[in-house]
Amino acid sequence: MTAEISTTEPDQIRAGDSITWLKTLNDYPATDSWVLHYRLINSAGKFDITATASGSDHLVSVDATTSATYTAGKYTLVSWVTQGALRYSTGSMLIEVLPDLAAQASGYDTRSTAQKTLDLLDAAMQSQGSNAW
């Protein structure tokens, strides 16, 4: 079974997964030698992706081995096209890289930061008993 290829950038990806989408840029078709580039960037690091031509569209594909090196966190995904010495920005958005749960050791805490905080507050309130209020 082959997964359906998305035609938009994802807002979440999981490290260790194969990642694919197809981008149509009518003003910058791959058939006119435009190359689409992406960068995921945050304060901790950056990851670059270069799309390949798929007719006039741009096929973005990251194999599982490469995405396994991605550090979980929130990133800005920026995109641009190049054609020889020409370069034009085409967009930016927020994206989250989720951890590769298959690669985690046993005991990995899958709760969100919000859930961890809520659990800590709940435990603190319970430890105070009727003295909490």
Side-chain angles (χ1 to χ4, degrees), residues 16 23 27 60 70 89 111 127:
K23 185 70 176 179
D27 292 337
V60 180
Y70 292 3
S89 295
R111 296 175 298 163
S127 71

Side-chain angles (χ1 to χ4, degrees), residues 50-128:
T50 301
T52 58
S54 179
S56 62
D57 296 328
H58 303 273
L59 180 63
V60 180
S61 183
V62 179
D63 63 49
T65 303
T66 299
S67 79
T69 66
Y70 292 3
T71 305
K74 295 186 181 195
Y75 292 80
T76 298
L77 178 69
V78 295
S79 61
W80 67 94
V81 291
T82 58
Q83 182 194 60
L86 298 174
R87 180 187 186 278
Y88 297 105
S89 295
T90 57
S92 69
M93 62 180 279
L94 296 178
I95 186 170
E96 183 175 11
V97 175
L98 303 171
D100 180 356
L101 296 180
Q104 298 302 319
S106 62
Y108 178 77
D109 191 347
T110 60
R111 296 175 298 163
S112 68
T113 301
Q115 187 62 53
K116 290 176 189 176
T117 302
L118 182 61
D119 291 348
L120 286 170
L121 289 170
D122 186 49
M125 287 175 24
Q126 287 185 24
S127 71
Q128 293 298 313

